Amino acid sequence: MTLTIGIIGTGAMGAGIAQVAASNHCKVLLHDTNITMLQKAIEGINSSLSKLVEKGKIDANEKTQILSNITSHQNIDDLSDCNMIIEAIVEDLSVKQKVFTTLESLVSAECILASNTSSLSIASIAAACKNKERVIGIHFFNPAVLMPLVEIIPALTTSQKVFDESLSIIKSWGKVTVKAKDTPGFIVNRLARPYYGEAIKIYEEGMADFATIDHAMKTLGGFKMGPFELMDFIGNDVNYRVTETVWQQFFYDARYRPSLTQKRLFEAGLFGRKSGKGYYDYSISEMPQPNEDIALHQKIFLRIIAMLINEAAEALLLQIGTREDLDLAMVKGVNYKQGLLKWADELGIETILNELNQLHQWFGDDRYRPSTMLKLKVKEGNLFY
Ligand code: NAI
């Protein structure tokens, strides 16, 4: 059976998801309130497919076929026959709820209603619907065409049938799926927070500059980009907002506290690459050189990786995902060279716990409190794997 997939909101994410679905033999109906965005999405998909033809990944006939699977609709009523609708509109709860209520009145009882939200709870979106069982989170990563990971997030009210069907559809599109609990940041955006937060803290204390911290994480941790390069790439506006939202949703837990350094960059419009300046100045050709002190690199790496592992251990304790899913998500969603729990086994869980205990004692700051899961593992002499 050919599935009919509706996409609401055809910005960066909606267009990417549409291309994925259409490339996997689904009929795709695009809807956006802004007609220019609808046109842009089609143009974007067209040029993305042309690049795949140039690279020999698909042929011209396949490109034509994929494009013919996609149609644009200014009128949301046209989406009434969809099997699944994925919403990727502006990150605003009341606007999303309104769209879900409208959709509910249009589609059949079997149609799955999914949100690609990064920071809102699926429960809060589902709350607007009469049939909450059919509402689920399906969270792609940017760019959706290239990033293999998709987090599937059932709300408390989502039925097992809707979860199973969603999983099977997304898997049939060749994506790697993980199941995440409906909690702030789901898996990836939660576990990755210390990569930014601890790097900024190290800089604020004057321990090292941006270039040295980036260099340490790339050389010792095998990260593709250092934290400051990555924040400038993502955009300090986007990254700051995610950090602030996650912190608020965790009831202001010190572990997720944003930094004034990033807030000031955000306020000053120093967003990173897209504005020409962020942590780095992209108008000058010579980038600052890192300090070559290997002992300093090791201190930086240990501190940041200990904080990342602490977050993964805490997520395991709180059953945000299985051990395998927590690790897979970081490899397939943000290109970590290995999962954080596996990394903990390799580095030694006791080494990580000692580092956190020392930081906690030294700074007296609750952000460093070690997860009970790490203490348990050390006490029982177990590895994660
Ligand atoms: P975007 O700003 O590029 O696109 C949003 C689109 O939604 C725009 O074309 C806008 O015209 C349209 N829109 C707004 N209100 C609408 C409505 N009521 N009905 C129909 N269309 C409407 O946003 P982006 O970045 O694609 O994000 C969309 C969603 O995906 C958000 O929930 C975001 O949190 C989530 N997300 C974003 C990621 C990213 O890296 N940009 C990654 C993963 C999820």
Side-chain angles (χ1 to χ4, degrees):
M1 184 188 97
T2 304
L3 287 176
T4 303
I5 307 291
I7 305 283
I8 314 270
T10 58
M13 294 308 293
I17 299 166
Q19 185 177 330
V20 172
S23 303
N24 287 282
H25 317 292
C26 293
K27 204 174 141 191
V28 179
L29 278 61
L30 301 181
H31 168 73
D32 199 295
T33 41
N34 182 340
I35 185 167
T36 315
M37 291 305 284
L38 269 178
Q39 285 158 354
K40 263 191 167 175
I42 297 285
E43 284 162 21
I45 295 169
N46 191 359
S47 80
S48 163
L49 292 171
S50 296
K51 281 187 197 132
L52 293 179
V53 173
E54 277 164 34
K55 286 184 190 157
K57 299 213 165 150
I58 56 170
D59 62 33
N61 283 339
E62 283 171 290
K63 179 188 159 187
T64 312
Q65 180 60 49
I66 294 168
L67 280 174
S68 75
N69 287 342
I70 307 175
T71 48
S72 297
H73 302 265
Q74 270 186 277
N75 188 349
I76 197 168
D77 295 353
D78 294 351
L79 273 66
S80 59
D81 287 338
C82 289
N83 302 100
M84 175 193 259
I85 296 183
I86 303 178
E87 165 277 312
I89 66 164
V90 56
E91 192 74 337
D92 179 313
L93 180 59
S94 61
V95 184
K96 286 199 197 279
Q97 284 184 330
K98 210 166 153 222
V99 165
F100 274 72
T101 315
T102 306
L103 288 174
E104 203 177 25
S105 66
L106 286 178
V107 296
S108 75
E110 286 73 40
C111 176
I112 295 173
L113 299 181
S115 175
N116 186 51
T117 180
S118 291
S119 63
L120 300 168
S121 80
I122 308 305
S124 66
I125 297 171
C129 294
K130 284 196 196 94
N131 175 0
K132 299 174 180 45
E133 295 199 349
R134 63 155 99 194
V135 179
I136 190 162
I138 300 188
H139 185 226
F140 287 78
F141 289 76
N142 194 8
V145 174
L146 296 181
M147 296 310 290
L149 187 74
V150 179
E151 293 176 332
I152 312 280
I153 310 120
L156 283 176
T157 44
T158 310
S159 72
Q160 186 64 41
K161 183 168 174 272
V162 164
F163 176 79
D164 293 342
E165 279 175 18
S166 305
L167 194 70
S168 133
I169 293 173
I170 301 301
K171 277 191 170 161
S172 76
W173 295 352
K175 293 294 184 188
V176 173
T177 56
V178 291
K179 181 181 177 185
K181 212 178 214 175
D182 185 15
T183 47
F186 309 130
I187 296 178
V188 170
N189 281 337
R190 174 192 188 134
L191 267 54
R193 299 261 60 79
Y195 193 60
Y196 317 112
E198 202 50 29
I200 300 174
K201 182 95 186 329
I202 288 171
Y203 157 76
E204 285 176 340
E205 288 163 15
M207 186 173 154
D209 57 20
F210 307 139
T212 306
I213 300 169
D214 279 351
H215 181 76
M217 296 315 286
K218 286 191 288 185
T219 52
L220 297 180
F223 291 91
K224 298 242 159 63
M225 284 191 209
F228 297 99
E229 288 171 328
L230 186 53
M231 285 185 279
D232 273 357
F233 181 77
I234 295 169
N236 285 305
D237 49 343
V238 174
N239 193 271
Y240 177 74
R241 277 204 208 95
V242 175
T243 307
E244 192 180 42
T245 312
V246 168
W247 173 60
Q248 285 165 349
Q249 292 190 7
F250 275 119
F251 311 112
Y252 305 99
D253 184 333
R255 271 202 184 118
Y256 310 99
R257 192 194 303 127
S259 74
L260 284 173
T261 297
Q262 193 177 32
K263 187 167 190 210
R264 290 292 178 269
L265 284 186
F266 164 56
E267 288 166 347
L270 301 175
F271 298 152
R273 281 188 177 273
K274 64 184 171 191
S275 68
K277 198 171 174 189
Y279 292 106
Y280 295 104
D281 185 347
Y282 297 92
S283 66
I284 50 174
S285 53
E286 262 187 40
M287 292 304 252
Q289 291 302 305
N291 179 326
E292 297 289 343
D293 181 353
I294 303 279
L296 177 62
H297 297 168
Q298 282 167 357
K299 271 191 203 161
I300 295 166
F301 169 67
L302 184 59
R303 192 164 149 181
I304 296 176
I305 198 76
M307 290 295 275
L308 285 166
I309 288 170
N310 198 36
E311 198 50 49
E314 185 74 1
L316 183 65
L317 179 78
L318 300 176
Q319 303 179 57
I320 307 307
T322 62
R323 172 186 70 175
E324 287 76 14
D325 277 2
L326 292 174
D327 272 1
L328 188 63
M330 303 316 278
V331 176
K332 299 295 181 184
V334 270
N335 288 323
Y336 283 19
K337 71 169 189 179
Q338 62 182 335
L340 290 164
L341 299 172
K342 183 149 183 289
W343 218 332
D345 285 350
E346 198 179 286
L347 292 169
I349 301 175
E350 199 160 359
T351 306
I352 300 300
L353 182 60
N354 287 342
E355 174 72 6
L356 291 163
N357 276 330
Q358 278 176 29
L359 290 165
H360 196 196
Q361 207 178 13
W362 182 251
F363 290 108
D365 186 339
D366 229 21
R367 69 194 264 116
Y368 297 109
R369 71 184 188 279
S371 168
T372 309
M373 179 57 88
L374 290 178
K375 294 185 208 169
L376 269 173
K377 288 285 171 196
V378 170
K379 188 170 169 228
E380 291 168 3
N382 291 332
L383 298 174
F384 283 108
Y385 287 89

